[in-house]
Amino acid sequence: SNAVPVTLEEFGVAARNYPIVFSMEKPAVAVVVLGFRRGENLFIDGQGRWAPESYVPGYIRRYPFIFMEMKERNQYMLCVDEASGLLEDGAARPLFDGNQPSEITKKALEFCAAYHRQSVLTQRFAEALESHGLLTDKGANVTVPGGQTIALQGIRQIDQDKFRALPDSVILEWHKNGFLFACHTHFVSLGNWSNLGQRLGRLLRGVKPVAAPGTKPAAPRPTAPAGRA
């Protein structure tokens, strides 16, 4: 995927490597951009290994486990993707110890529960941005080595002028609940567009482009937010 969801708790570390932006749909989803072209993650090498110096988002690290919402019961169920290729027969690393969850399953449950709590908080943050009209449809123009310009559309960013005009009462509230830090981290993360362009440039020097001339890169399309399957 060229974009995956990221939680508020991850903003600080994710901003070191990736641009953090917001999806076009409402409610907005905070995502890290991993590549310019659909289905292309510039942080994965040809052997499927993640770049060692880069942060791996929790959305990916929890896989193949995921929470699925059971609205009729107001509960969440821990699920596993059986088609992931990560499950195998045998007793070396069981999911259950008799009728009880094994240590692996317990850790997965703890991780997914913590991730879900952070996802809910991140959704509140996105809703707060929407309520104050701060999210603006703004793409990114990146020049890759060789002079080619990549225009990425279909994303939203926080409007800095509107952000500076927020009432003092909102600034104080957001300072206390962590939203203010997240806004500043988002602004800092936008400096990673050039790093992303450098990665694409190195890839293009070794691989011939397959897109027809004039083809625009696809907008980041995050996978389903937490709590949905």
Side-chain angles (χ1 to χ4, degrees):
S1 178
N2 68 331
V4 296
V6 66
T7 66
L8 210 63
E9 186 179 51
E10 299 176 282
F11 271 38
V13 63
R16 301 173 186 173
N17 305 121
Y18 319 110
I20 300 173
V21 297
F22 299 87
S23 62
M24 295 296 294
E25 69 262 29
K26 295 183 180 182
V29 177
V31 301
V32 288
V33 180
L34 306 175
F36 296 103
R37 302 181 292 189
R38 189 168 300 165
E40 180 178 78
N41 182 343
L42 295 173
F43 293 85
I44 297 291
D45 65 16
Q47 286 71 47
R49 296 172 300 196
W50 201 277
E53 76 280 7
S54 302
Y55 174 72
V56 180
Y59 185 90
I60 296 172
R61 285 185 285 116
R62 66 178 182 164
Y63 189 76
F65 296 98
I66 188 174
F67 262 9
M68 184 172 69
E69 185 177 7
M70 302 173 64
K71 292 184 178 180
E72 67 279 3
R73 299 183 183 180
N74 195 28
Q75 291 180 334
Y76 286 85
M77 179 184 296
L78 182 66
C79 300
V80 61
D81 182 1
E82 293 183 332
S84 65
L86 299 175
L87 299 180
E88 59 184 30
D89 293 330
R93 302 182 68 201
L95 295 178
F96 292 92
D97 182 7
N99 293 326
Q100 299 299 317
S102 67
E103 285 302 312
I104 291 176
T105 304
K106 289 178 181 178
K107 290 180 179 179
L109 180 59
E110 291 173 1
F111 188 92
C112 287
Y115 183 88
H116 172 70
R117 289 192 295 269
Q118 282 298 316
S119 296
V120 172
L121 179 60
T122 308
Q123 192 60 61
R124 284 175 49 202
F125 171 60
E127 290 170 354
L129 295 176
E130 296 270 21
S131 67
H132 289 280
L134 296 185
L135 293 182
T136 181
D137 184 356
K138 187 176 182 180
N141 296 317
V142 179
T143 301
V144 301
Q148 180 184 2
T149 299
I150 303 294
L152 188 67
Q153 304 298 325
I155 59 177
R156 290 192 289 173
Q157 302 177 22
I158 299 176
D159 187 300
Q160 294 197 34
D161 291 334
K162 292 181 179 179
F163 172 74
R164 295 189 188 99
L166 285 173
D168 291 349
S169 59
V170 174
I171 293 295
L172 178 59
E173 178 188 354
W174 285 14
H175 169 68
K176 292 181 177 181
N177 63 17
F179 290 0
L180 190 62
F181 174 77
C183 291
H184 287 296
T185 305
H186 158 70
F187 295 139
V188 171
S189 78
L190 299 179
N192 288 315
W193 286 121
S194 60
N195 296 333
L196 212 59
Q198 292 286 334
R199 284 183 174 273
L200 179 59
R202 290 195 294 270
L203 178 65
L204 293 178
R205 284 197 296 270
V207 180
K208 294 182 179 180
V210 295
T215 301
K216 293 184 179 180
R221 295 181 62 85
T223 48
R228 300 176 184 175

